[in-house]
Amino acid sequence: MSEKNYITKAGYRQLRDELQHLVNKERPEVVNIVSWAASNGDRSENGDYIYGKKRLREIDKRIRFLTKRLELAEVIDPSEQPNQDYVFFGACVDYIDEQDEEVHVQIVGVDEADPLAGKISWVSPVAKALLRKKVGDTAFLQTPSGPKELEIIDITYPES
């Protein structure tokens, strides 16, 4: 990947905690189940063995993914942003859309994005429209139905 993997401290901790849980708790439990199921003989119709092996592959795949993402991570502390008058990575932004609805989002890393919780990736179209704007500015968001105006009403940087 040529793209930076920016992530907040909270997002980094969340990924690290998930990795530790998989390595130290979930994987050993599944290994024990697979070992027990294998000791029961015929593996071709052994549901515990078949499902356990499948689950083990899924866990190992997620462990590899998390390990790589954490190695590439560039942790950013939003509270240390020197120019907090403008929208940069980690900012919490309140804006008013064209329907006069107030929307609150935080611009976060790709791995910690959760749009339903108001956490949008820094590479998303909305975040790109908001970046480098200040309170009172209007951001223009290109959508399939045409450009949308987003009026920025507040910018904060959370403590990590």
Side-chain angles (χ1 to χ4, degrees), residues 3-21:
E3 192 173 278
K4 296 274 188 186
N5 183 26
Y6 295 120
I7 191 167
T8 64
K9 282 184 173 182
Y12 186 87
R13 279 192 302 267
Q14 185 178 0
L15 291 183
R16 186 194 62 219
D17 291 349
E18 180 185 353
L19 177 61
Q20 288 176 344
H21 173 77

Side-chain angles (χ1 to χ4, degrees), residues 53-64:
K53 290 293 282 184
K54 180 178 184 255
R55 181 67 186 131
L56 203 52
R57 284 190 299 275
E58 292 167 355
I59 291 170
D60 288 342
K61 182 179 176 183
R62 183 68 180 166
I63 287 171
R64 283 190 304 277

Side-chain angles (χ1 to χ4, degrees), residues 14-154:
Q14 185 178 0
L15 291 183
R16 186 194 62 219
D17 291 349
E18 180 185 353
L19 177 61
Q20 288 176 344
H21 173 77
L22 289 172
V23 170
N24 298 326
K25 182 163 177 33
E26 196 164 341
R27 190 176 193 288
E29 289 174 0
V30 174
V31 167
N32 286 336
I33 292 170
V34 169
S35 296
W36 168 80
S39 70
N40 289 334
D42 184 17
R43 298 176 186 170
S44 64
E45 293 182 18
N46 186 330
D48 287 328
Y49 179 80
I50 293 168
Y51 174 76
K53 290 293 282 184
K54 180 178 184 255
R55 181 67 186 131
L56 203 52
R57 284 190 299 275
E58 292 167 355
I59 291 170
D60 288 342
K61 182 179 176 183
R62 183 68 180 166
I63 287 171
R64 283 190 304 277
F65 173 80
L66 290 171
T67 301
K68 283 184 179 179
R69 295 305 287 172
L70 289 169
E71 287 172 0
L72 295 172
E74 190 169 327
V75 180
I76 306 292
D77 186 349
S79 66
E80 294 177 2
Q81 176 55 248
N83 193 350
Q84 297 192 2
D85 292 336
Y86 288 85
V87 177
F88 292 109
F89 182 87
C92 292
V93 182
D94 293 326
Y95 65 85
I96 297 176
D97 63 15
E98 289 188 330
Q99 288 78 37
D100 285 330
E101 292 181 22
E102 188 173 323
V103 180
H104 176 81
V105 296
Q106 182 181 12
I107 299 173
V108 297
V110 173
D111 296 320
E112 56 189 322
D114 183 0
L116 296 177
K119 293 182 175 215
I120 61 172
S121 166
W122 69 281
V123 295
S124 70
V126 173
K128 285 182 176 183
L130 296 172
L131 287 171
R132 296 179 186 83
K133 302 288 191 272
K134 63 183 189 307
V135 173
D137 284 354
T138 300
F140 295 95
L141 173 64
Q142 292 298 335
T143 69
S145 61
K148 305 283 184 202
E149 292 183 9
L150 312 174
E151 181 186 345
I152 298 172
I153 57 174
D154 191 33

